[in-house]
Amino acid sequence: MKFPDIRNEKGEEVPLTEAAYGTFIRSADRRVRKEAFTALFETYTGFGATVATTYAASVKGDLFAAKARGFQTAVEAALFPDEIPLSVYDNLIAVIHESLPALNRYIALRKPAMNLDEIHLYDLYASLVEDYDMHLPYPDAYAMVAEGLAPLGTEYQGILNSAYEDGWIDVYSSKAKSSGAYSWGAYGVHPYVLLNHRDDLDSAMTIAHEMGHAMHSYYSNKNQPAPKANYTLFAAEVASTCNEIILMTKLMERYQGNRKAQAYLANHLLEQFRTTVFRQTMFAEFERISHRMAEEGEALTKEALSTAYLELNQQYYGQHCQVDELIQTEWMRIPHFYRAFYVYKYATGFSAAVFLANRILTEGEPAVRDYYKFLSAGGSLPPIEALKLAGVDMSSPEPIKSAMKVFEQTTDRLAQLL
């Protein structure tokens, strides 16, 4: 698959790649966003039959494995290893459906803020706040993260300082280095963190995120024997995102007198909600639909899958946004769909993190002590039970509803700032 060249902000012909698309779709130049969007999805459209056949095989594999093990549906089989009841999956989708008016109210802010005649899907990733950026070289960014996470206690900050000083972190991009960021390690050794720092707010938030993973591993390894130290993905995104939410709250306080910085930070937090909670839930819903189609004997053709995906986008974004028909092929580029029924964990993890961050910031030491119990539990308990130690029950829809209230409050704040 080869994508055509597009013109950048200077009018120069530049290659479009999957990696470059993430930059182009965030461009302040609408022409660049539209060209990248059109070129990417028109290319995928040409491969639709092949991708549909590949994905259909993956879905049929999920169905076969589920039936061979005595499950009624593929989603129940996927939830079983983590002991997650089906109601958790259903609660997430139900609450997000109830919250779609709030999502569309946030999207509607783009029209006046970006001086647009109408909002398209390729406008959703550009910043609402023009001509503002936070320049954060790595030492400054790390110091800001450590300071922002002070509510988690002096012990937590001490370990963060050790990580900075003692070589836990590979900071900058280099030849042949993996892209992105992650935390990894082996039992009995402190965690290691890979970054590709770019001196901006996103990279600072990445430090907070990956150090959340690292601290989770540090405490679980310290308090659990090797067979019980590893925690599941359902719990994994909680500690990382909790760090981000606490840091974002502290940054809002730090820049209290700077209206533009406040708007920039609020926009950043709302985009985390949109892409991690709403978007991942839409993905989870698409997986539910595609597997149900196969379970009922419907052929998973390019046309059937694309129609289902387009209808979901219309449901999620259609109130104030022009849902460009080309988006119907986006499902073809989502690699998560080949590991079915795990993307919902990003949305539940984010919701749990918002709930816990709020509890830590309002209740202080008792909430921090409970949070340490969660970090230290590792894989010794099912993830829902481990989260209960910190004070959040993800078998209930209430944490997701609570997170949606924060989303609505932040939207109100951004509307005032704009």
Side-chain angles (χ1 to χ4, degrees):
M1 186 184 294
K2 187 179 188 305
F3 302 107
D5 292 346
I6 67 166
R7 293 172 297 147
N8 65 13
E9 290 84 354
K10 298 177 182 178
E12 303 164 336
E13 292 280 332
V14 292
L16 173 65
T17 63
E18 278 283 1
Y21 179 74
T23 300
F24 294 139
I25 202 64
R26 289 171 173 80
S27 173
D29 188 330
R30 196 184 199 196
R31 176 191 56 77
V32 174
R33 300 197 300 268
K34 184 176 180 180
E35 280 192 25
F37 178 90
T38 303
L40 186 90
F41 290 119
E42 281 184 346
T43 303
Y44 270 99
T45 300
F47 287 82
T50 300
V51 180
T53 303
T54 307
Y55 180 59
S58 179
V59 172
K60 289 174 184 175
D62 295 335
L63 266 56
F64 174 83
K67 290 178 181 177
R69 290 167 173 79
F71 293 98
Q72 294 296 312
T73 62
V75 64
E76 291 174 88
L79 299 179
F80 178 78
D82 290 344
E83 301 181 53
I84 305 297
L86 187 59
S87 60
V88 171
Y89 206 99
D90 293 337
N91 286 341
L92 172 66
I93 293 174
V95 174
I96 294 306
H97 280 188
E98 293 171 4
S99 304
L100 290 179
L103 170 64
N104 280 276
R105 192 164 67 85
Y106 163 57
I107 290 171
L109 296 178
R110 291 188 171 275
K111 198 170 182 179
M114 299 173 71
N115 195 27
L116 299 174
D117 53 344
E118 58 184 16
I119 307 164
H120 285 259
L121 291 173
Y122 48 77
D123 297 319
L124 297 185
Y125 291 88
S127 176
L128 279 169
V129 184
E130 293 184 0
D131 304 322
Y132 188 84
D133 192 20
M134 289 186 177
H135 181 66
L136 294 167
Y138 176 67
D140 297 340
Y142 200 95
M144 184 181 78
V145 169
E147 179 185 343
L149 296 178
L152 290 172
T154 55
E155 178 184 328
Y156 198 96
Q157 284 188 301
I159 300 168
L160 286 176
N161 291 333
S162 295
Y164 181 82
E165 295 167 359
D166 298 341
W168 293 25
I169 306 166
D170 182 8
V171 180
Y172 300 106
S173 298
S174 59
K175 185 177 180 181
K177 182 179 177 180
S178 174
S179 61
Y182 59 79
S183 172
W184 205 251
Y187 187 82
V189 182
H190 64 71
Y192 285 88
V193 173
L194 178 142
L195 302 174
N196 283 279
H197 192 80
R198 295 190 312 271
D199 294 356
D200 57 16
L201 178 62
D202 278 338
S203 290
M205 299 306 289
T206 298
I207 294 170
H209 184 98
E210 297 306 330
M211 290 311 299
H213 285 309
M215 296 296 281
H216 196 175
S217 297
Y218 175 88
Y219 277 102
S220 62
N221 288 352
K222 179 180 177 182
N223 291 280
Q224 300 296 332
K228 295 185 178 182
N230 288 336
Y231 43 85
T232 70
L233 189 60
F234 189 89
E237 292 303 320
V238 175
S240 54
T241 308
C242 187
N243 271 10
E244 289 191 70
I245 302 300
I246 291 172
L247 175 60
M248 181 61 69
T249 303
K250 289 300 178 183
L251 286 177
M252 296 284 272
E253 294 174 3
R254 179 176 179 175
Y255 289 93
Q256 190 68 47
N258 187 329
R259 193 178 187 87
K260 204 161 194 177
Q262 287 273 309
Y264 183 80
L265 291 166
N267 184 198
H268 191 282
L269 178 58
L270 289 167
E271 277 300 286
Q272 288 181 295
F273 268 102
R274 185 181 71 79
T275 56
T276 307
V277 182
F278 289 100
R279 180 172 165 81
Q280 298 297 333
T281 301
M282 187 180 76
F283 287 172
E285 196 167 354
F286 175 76
E287 290 184 311
R288 195 77 181 273
I289 291 168
S290 64
H291 284 73
R292 188 177 292 134
M293 288 164 62
E295 286 163 353
E296 294 174 356
E298 184 176 347
L300 298 185
T301 63
K302 165 193 169 183
E303 291 76 17
L305 291 165
S306 295
T307 297
Y309 194 80
L310 179 62
E311 289 173 353
L312 277 174
N313 274 271
Q314 290 167 336
Q315 179 183 2
Y316 274 67
Y317 298 110
Q319 186 177 346
H320 293 293
C321 184
Q322 294 295 316
V323 178
D324 309 87
E325 193 168 320
L326 273 175
I327 199 65
Q328 68 182 344
T329 62
E330 187 184 38
W331 65 270
M332 300 180 194
R333 70 182 288 259
I334 309 300
H336 306 66
F337 292 158
Y338 294 88
R339 183 183 171 189
F341 302 115
Y342 91 93
V343 293
Y344 83 96
K345 298 176 185 179
Y346 293 117
T348 54
F350 193 97
S351 300
V354 170
F355 186 94
L356 291 177
N358 183 62
R359 183 170 181 238
I360 289 165
L361 291 168
T362 55
E363 297 181 24
E365 182 59 31
V368 172
R369 284 199 303 269
D370 289 344
Y371 185 62
Y372 278 20
K373 293 175 187 176
F374 160 68
L375 295 181
S376 301
S380 64
L381 293 170
I384 282 187
E385 297 304 316
L387 284 166
K388 285 179 182 177
L389 296 176
V392 59
D393 182 3
M394 291 309 296
S395 64
S396 160
E398 292 310 312
I400 304 166
K401 291 181 178 180
S402 177
M404 289 297 98
K405 288 178 183 176
V406 174
F407 177 79
E408 292 179 30
Q409 291 164 358
T410 309
T411 301
D412 292 339
R413 177 67 176 146
L414 179 60
Q416 293 170 356
L417 290 164
L418 292 173

